[in-house]
Amino acid sequence: IYIFFSKAPTENGTGSCTAMPGAWTMNGERVLKARFFALSLFTEKKYNIMEEIVAIYLNPSLDKETYSNALSSFIVELKSKGISLISVILVLGDALSGEDEKKRSRGTLLLAELLSMNDIMLDSTTLHRLVKFFTGRLADYPSLSPSLHGLEAISLYYIEVLDHSLGDVKEIFCVLMRDMHIQGLAQSLRAKSFTIFTLLLQNKACM
């Protein structure tokens, strides 16, 4: 559809359409409406693809290879279509806040895995929101492990991007030290918590 209306209106308000046999014209307003319609179809299509990939990743019964392929496809969609991480959160929707514990866990894990790929550009505002999200989710046991995974990825790959005036590093330290009973966690979770501490303390930007 977009190909049909790909030419801009001419100075006299008309535009030509040559993708169909026998060139024909339409006024500029109709061209713009056609372009908006085509753009809406394109936007809807790319989000439908994203929703399909999310549905695969949220399914707790699939194998690791399927999850890995879904994650790789998701990264391709993000980069090629210019989709923001905030849009991803909107697509995840109830998977992040619903009553299904497995979906909450896998939805949080998807965000953490996207960060751990270190393959997307994020600004300090988005990172601030993600820090708030992951630290808040530490109190939700099904989301505990993926939330630590997300905080580890931020501490490893995005620490230089954080706006330290927003107190994100302090937030991570305080939540882990004040609200978490680290010694009572499983060994793998304790190790991840101490890795986050180490990464933050080693980075000069946090001093």
Side-chain angles (χ1 to χ4, degrees):
I1 294 174
Y2 185 76
I3 295 174
F4 294 163
F5 308 111
S6 61
K7 286 198 174 183
T10 59
E11 293 181 0
N12 62 4
T14 64
S16 60
C17 175
T18 57
M20 297 179 67
W24 54 292
T25 62
M26 56 175 61
N27 61 43
E29 181 180 358
R30 290 179 64 192
V31 171
L32 290 176
K33 286 182 178 179
R35 283 183 168 179
F36 280 124
F37 176 66
L39 179 60
S40 69
L41 291 180
F42 173 75
T43 302
E44 182 180 355
K45 180 179 179 181
K46 74 178 182 180
Y47 280 104
N48 284 343
I49 294 173
M50 212 164 56
E51 288 169 358
E52 291 173 5
I53 298 173
V54 166
I56 293 172
Y57 200 86
L58 293 180
N59 187 336
S61 63
L62 302 179
D63 56 81
K64 290 184 178 180
E65 183 179 358
T66 302
Y67 293 139
S68 178
N69 291 337
L71 182 62
S72 298
S73 298
F74 208 92
I75 290 289
V76 171
E77 285 296 307
L78 287 180
K79 296 179 71 174
S80 64
K81 306 293 176 58
I83 301 172
S84 69
L85 199 61
I86 298 301
S87 297
V88 174
I89 294 174
L90 293 176
V91 171
L92 284 168
D94 291 341
L96 296 176
S97 58
E99 296 183 359
D100 191 319
E101 293 184 351
K102 291 182 178 180
K103 281 191 174 181
R104 283 206 313 276
S105 177
R106 292 211 60 80
T108 305
L109 179 61
L110 176 56
L111 289 180
E113 288 284 15
L114 289 174
L115 294 178
S116 68
M117 297 286 283
N118 190 26
D119 205 22
I120 52 177
M121 299 293 293
L122 298 174
D123 57 33
S124 59
T125 301
T126 301
L127 283 168
H128 175 66
R129 293 171 179 170
L130 287 169
V131 169
K132 287 290 186 182
F133 173 77
F134 286 126
T135 53
R137 278 307 172 89
L138 292 174
D140 178 38
Y141 189 78
S143 303
L144 173 58
S145 178
S147 294
L148 286 174
H149 187 38
L151 292 173
E152 181 183 27
I154 291 174
S155 302
L156 181 60
Y157 299 119
Y158 297 98
I159 196 69
E160 300 288 350
V161 186
L162 289 175
D163 181 350
H164 297 286
S165 66
L166 297 176
D168 292 326
V169 173
K170 181 180 178 181
E171 176 81 8
I172 296 172
F173 269 121
C174 286
V175 170
L176 290 179
M177 297 180 67
R178 180 191 63 210
D179 301 333
M180 295 278 295
H181 301 287
I182 295 178
Q183 295 303 324
L185 297 177
Q187 193 278 331
S188 60
L189 298 179
R190 292 201 307 271
K192 197 171 287 290
S193 299
F194 288 123
T195 297
I196 295 170
F197 279 129
T198 301
L199 290 170
L200 295 178
L201 290 172
Q202 286 179 342
N203 196 288
K204 294 180 180 180
C206 299
M207 305 304 289

